[in-house]
Amino acid sequence: MNQWYRRTLTKIILVLVGALSGAAFITSLAIAVTFAGTANPAGVARMVREPYEESADFSAAVGNMTQDVLAQFRVRDMMETDGAYNPDKLIDVMEYTQTGRISGGNTSGIAYTLGQLEDWGEDYYISDSSALYSDNEVVVCRRPDGSYYYYYLDDFLSRFERGEMRIEFTDPAQDQATFLQELQEGRLTDSGGYELRIYDREGAEMYTDCWNFGQSLRERYAPAGAKNLLEVVNGSQDMNGQLSAIYEGIAMTLTDIYDNSIQYQNGWDWMEEGNTNFTYIYINEETKQVYTNRADYEGYADAEAHIQDLKSGENVRYLIVRPKLRDFETNMNVSASGEWTALRSSRPDGNAEIVFAAAVDTSYPVQDQFYEGRENYNSNLPFLRSALIMLIAGGLMFLICTVWLSVTDGKKPGDETIHLTAFDRWKTEIAAALIILVWGVVTLLLLSVGLPEIDWSHAAQSAEYYMDEYGTAYLYSGLFTTAISLADTTGVFCYGFFSFLCFYAGYLSLIRRIRAKILWKGSLVFAVIHFVKRALNSRRDTLAAGILTVGFIGLQLLAIASRSVPVVFLSFLADLAALWFILTGAMAKGRIRKGIEEIASGNLAYRIDLNGLRGTERHMAEKVNDIGGGLNRAVDEAMRNERLKTDLITNVSHDIKTPLTSIINYVDILKRSDIADEKIRGYLDILEAKAQRLKTLTEDVVEASKVSSGNITLEYMDVDLREMIRQTEGEMAEKFSARKLTMIVSLPEEPAVVHVDGRRMWRVLENIFNNAAKYAMPGTRVYADLTASETEVRFSLKNISEQPLNIPAEELTERFIRGDIARSTEGSGLGLSIAKSLTTMQGGRFSLYLDGDLFRADLTFPRVTRGAEDSGINT
């Protein structure tokens, strides 16, 4: 089974498809949420089926228009008296701030006319704070009973100049002039700056403390019936200590009055008959007045008939709000209590007998906002439907790809081992931080240049909806107002694709780490803990260094903090000591490193100079010197043992060859004799074959021993390898024929000259061909290929093995290793080992290649060029 689903290409395709699907999902979600305005799946599904007039968008548009009409009536009531604009209408600021109503009276004492507030409000709205507020204009004083009294600064200072007030201080070093100077400069911003008492001209105690109030509102007008605002505040027990709240109330009133004034001035042109498909009837049952934007609906007497006419017709959407909630009527999807409450709250008293009827002609004879909303809604609805389809398809495809990758991550076809990438070997926290950093940097760059103008604010509602099943995640949609361009969609898609690529990079690496069980062991936290444990376990070696380091750092911090000359001087001496310690340690390590390199390179007699070394470095240097001496002794002993073994093998082989030669000769003599018994002649044949095999084995052992000990003298000459291969092929033809092996020889036309020992090279080729003759599958072909380049000559011999080759190619060149594990064939297991050693000694390269049952032996030698061949010089 090829397990194609585990292949690298398959995984790359899955990552790309998954990232594209995720990007499609995010883009579709953004479009759907932006258009639908809801994260409720049921709400979105309903929305794609409902027409504009039944949608929440339409209801919201009607509700907004209703609010605008009611707000306009509220503004008119504020600005007019008896149906006419009245700039002299009195507005109590405190009453308006607390209730939003205008009674026309002055109950709190802080009241201004409408004209004053409009004029002041315009100033307040368009001016900056420096023109509206004073930083040091009001002084607040505390009476003995804990109440407060406010002064304008100039008035306060002038009272001291006139002698109406004087100050006594608890501290004799303090004086009145300094106190008043600081107060004038605005430096006494809190109480308690001075311990004092202020007395009047008669000596009565007035105040226990005074200080600057801070920012105060510049009074463009005085309140009605008063000289200034402080007069009203100081004269009211309820307002005592409430000056900040009063300033805030005035500021809020100024802003609100100015906004209402602008709205009143802009008028109702946009609501007049012929400018809108929205019709309203506003009936005040108390005053018997009717307000409407339809001329034929005016008049109180026929008001109910007009309401019935308003809601009649097939193309009408209406709502009717009456004083009693039970009488509410509508054919739209709106909240009865919401509309009823909105109407009541629009009235200053909140209890007026008001009937309000509104309707929209859904045949849209006027191209107003309702008409434009219907057009946008109908044009955007197909995009919402397409987005839902892409949302489901993208999410499903992303899920499939992610699960698939999760199952196959880290695995390859036919291999259950978990394969890690270079990135997986990074520390867990560093890898995670890198991915987050890349994603964050790109995100910040996009934010800096501006993300596509898609309304993402609704996306948060999705989480809210699923977290709280009873909560509402429904928002009014953007189908009737929003338009998403191709550039916006493309931008979101590309950002989503990049984000999901980052996700897969981190997620798949996490899966591989978990499967390989290196998530914890490959983390920085684990490394720190492991380092601390090792440091504690090696505290005998690390304690002194740790104490010195901590002490050095502490001394530096102390020098920075204290900035004392003696401490800085000690820190400087510590720096010099640290520099000396580091440099001497570096030089000592350099000596030790050089000694190790020399010994590693074979110079076992090298010794590190111990002069100037002390402590740990000296101890290490001595141990390295001991290692060099030990290795030198071991090498000498090994060389003596190798020579003894070589001499033993040579002598034993020589002693074996003498009687073996006699055996072979006497067997030959016996075979020449006239022996009639065939059985005896058969024994003689077997004896001769075994003797020849023993002779060959003895020669191979002697040859291998000489090669391994280097006890061989090479006689180099220029040899045309083509001729030597033809000669070897001819001499091995009988063996190949006996096993029905067909020899296919491919030789170049030009000479392939190499500079080798001819006799040793012959032995190399003989061993390679002999190996093929022994182990090749009978009835197959053996390929001998010789190629020559400008600089090299390469010979390759290929055959199909008769026995399974279930050992690595490198092991076949070891001594006494045979491809025939059952050892059913003749051979000593030394042929390839001898061939490799002889090839290497002659400056060539010998390599084996196994692919299933295919066996290939390669020889590579430097080629002798024609010029070098003529001169007899090897290049």
Side-chain angles (χ1 to χ4, degrees), residues 411-694:
K411 298 179 181 179
K412 292 185 178 181
D415 186 2
E416 295 301 322
T417 304
I418 302 302
H419 296 274
L420 300 176
T421 65
F423 180 72
D424 298 335
R425 304 188 187 280
W426 290 25
K427 296 300 182 184
T428 302
E429 297 88 343
I430 295 177
L434 177 63
I435 292 175
I436 295 173
L437 178 64
V438 171
W439 179 82
V441 168
V442 173
T443 301
L444 290 176
L445 288 175
L446 290 176
L447 288 173
S448 65
V449 300
L451 286 172
E453 296 180 358
I454 291 181
D455 185 4
W456 290 88
S457 60
H458 304 318
Q461 297 293 333
S462 178
E464 178 183 345
Y465 175 79
Y466 288 106
M467 290 172 62
D468 182 7
E469 61 179 312
Y470 300 106
T472 175
Y474 200 86
L475 303 173
Y476 293 121
S477 81
L479 282 174
F480 76 116
T481 57
T482 304
I484 302 177
S485 69
L486 179 61
D488 295 337
T489 306
T490 303
V492 174
F493 182 85
C494 292
Y495 177 70
F497 179 70
F498 165 76
S499 298
F500 277 99
L501 285 180
C502 292
F503 162 76
Y504 275 126
Y507 173 74
L508 296 180
S509 178
L510 177 64
I511 294 294
R512 291 191 294 270
R513 292 167 189 264
I514 293 174
R515 286 182 173 168
K517 299 180 180 179
I518 63 168
L519 182 63
W520 167 242
K521 292 184 179 180
S523 66
L524 276 176
V525 176
F526 178 83
V528 171
I529 294 175
H530 186 64
F531 172 78
V532 172
K533 286 183 177 179
R534 287 192 295 114
L536 292 176
N537 292 335
S538 305
R539 55 185 174 273
R540 180 177 177 183
D541 300 323
T542 60
L543 183 61
I547 293 174
L548 287 175
T549 303
V550 172
F552 178 79
I553 295 174
L555 185 59
Q556 305 302 312
L557 294 177
L558 181 62
I560 295 173
S562 66
R563 297 182 182 179
S564 170
V565 174
V567 177
V568 172
F569 181 71
L570 286 176
S571 175
F572 176 71
L573 293 180
D575 292 339
L576 293 179
L579 180 61
W580 177 84
F581 180 78
I582 292 171
L583 293 179
T584 55
M587 290 187 290
K589 289 180 176 62
R591 286 196 208 175
I592 296 171
R593 183 177 62 252
K594 184 179 179 182
I596 294 173
E597 290 173 350
E598 289 288 339
I599 294 172
S601 65
N603 186 7
L604 303 181
Y606 185 85
R607 293 294 179 269
I608 300 173
D609 185 7
L610 301 179
N611 291 330
L613 299 182
R614 56 182 57 84
T616 303
E617 285 83 4
R618 186 181 183 90
H619 181 69
M620 291 175 60
E622 290 174 348
K623 294 300 181 184
V624 171
N625 288 342
D626 292 342
I627 291 173
L631 286 175
N632 203 0
R633 291 190 295 273
V635 169
D636 291 341
E637 185 67 23
M639 290 180 65
R640 282 198 301 270
N641 291 337
E642 188 67 25
R643 283 195 296 269
L644 286 174
K645 287 189 290 184
T646 302
D647 293 342
L648 177 62
I649 291 172
T650 303
N651 294 333
V652 171
S653 299
H654 183 270
D655 291 342
I656 291 174
K657 285 174 66 178
T658 301
L660 183 58
T661 303
S662 299
I663 292 172
I664 293 172
N665 291 334
Y666 281 113
V667 168
D668 184 58
I669 292 172
L670 289 174
K671 287 184 68 175
R672 293 169 186 261
S673 302
D674 187 12
I675 300 175
D677 192 341
E678 292 295 331
K679 189 175 182 180
I680 294 175
R681 294 184 66 86
Y683 290 154
L684 290 174
D685 290 338
I686 293 173
L687 184 60
E688 182 183 31
K690 298 302 181 181
Q692 289 294 340
R693 182 180 178 186
L694 182 58

Side-chain angles (χ1 to χ4, degrees), residues 775-827:
Y775 300 113
M777 180 180 290
T780 60
R781 288 182 286 273
V782 178
Y783 294 89
D785 297 315
L786 180 67
T787 58
S789 66
E790 290 291 333
T791 58
E792 288 185 337
V793 175
R794 179 179 178 183
F795 174 68
S796 174
L797 188 71
K798 294 180 289 186
N799 65 270
I800 300 299
S801 176
E802 182 178 8
Q803 301 293 333
L805 296 174
N806 52 5
I807 60 176
E810 293 78 9
E811 290 189 17
L812 289 176
T813 58
E814 299 294 329
R815 296 183 187 180
F816 306 107
I817 298 297
R818 296 165 59 181
D820 177 13
I821 302 300
R823 306 185 75 88
S824 59
T825 60
E826 295 185 1

